[in-house]
């Protein structure tokens, strides 16, 4: 609720945050699809000379998730990865 209506608010946040807090990790899309889409965005950015440094970082993070067995999961995989590390896992 603290982020609702503010600059950090978004439809994606409104959908994912309650699911992550409830530990509902049923995939709604896959990391593989996200990598495909981010790769296309990166290619267009290079073609149009539009700097998108954060998109590049997110793409590499998603590729890392794929290479570590999370390809069929969705974007909440990164939350679970960091949560497990914070919990000592």
């Amino acid at each position: 609720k603290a982020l609702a209506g503010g600059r950090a608010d978004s439809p994606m946040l409104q959908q994912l945050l309650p699911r992550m807090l409830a530990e509902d990790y049923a995939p709604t899309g896959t990391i593989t699809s996200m990598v495909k889409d981010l790769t296309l965005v990166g290619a267009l950015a290079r073609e149009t000379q539009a700097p998108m440094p954060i998109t590049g970082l997110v793409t590499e993070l998603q590729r890392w998730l794929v290479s570590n067995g999370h390809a069929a999961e969705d974007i909440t995989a990164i939350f679970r990865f960091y949560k497990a590390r914070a919990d000592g896992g």
Side-chain angles (χ1 to χ4, degrees), residues 19-30:
R19 287 184 49 229
M20 289 188 290
L21 293 174
E23 297 187 5
D24 173 6
Y25 303 122
T28 58
T30 65

Side-chain angles (χ1 to χ4, degrees), residues 4-79:
R7 288 184 162 177
D9 195 9
S10 71
M12 183 66 79
L13 178 69
Q14 295 298 322
Q15 291 174 6
L16 290 178
L17 186 58
R19 287 184 49 229
M20 289 188 290
L21 293 174
E23 297 187 5
D24 173 6
Y25 303 122
T28 58
T30 65
I31 299 294
T32 301
S33 292
M34 179 146 326
V35 169
K36 175 190 63 77
D37 294 346
L38 288 168
T39 300
L40 291 171
V41 167
L44 181 60
R46 283 187 297 281
E47 182 180 313
T48 59
Q49 297 181 342
M52 298 186 67
I54 302 303
T55 301
L57 291 171
V58 171
T59 303
E60 290 308 308
L61 181 57
Q62 302 304 313
R63 287 181 178 147
W64 180 87
L65 287 167
V66 168
S67 69
N68 283 276
H70 302 280
E73 298 172 31
D74 73 357
I75 196 168
T76 61
I78 194 62
F79 172 79

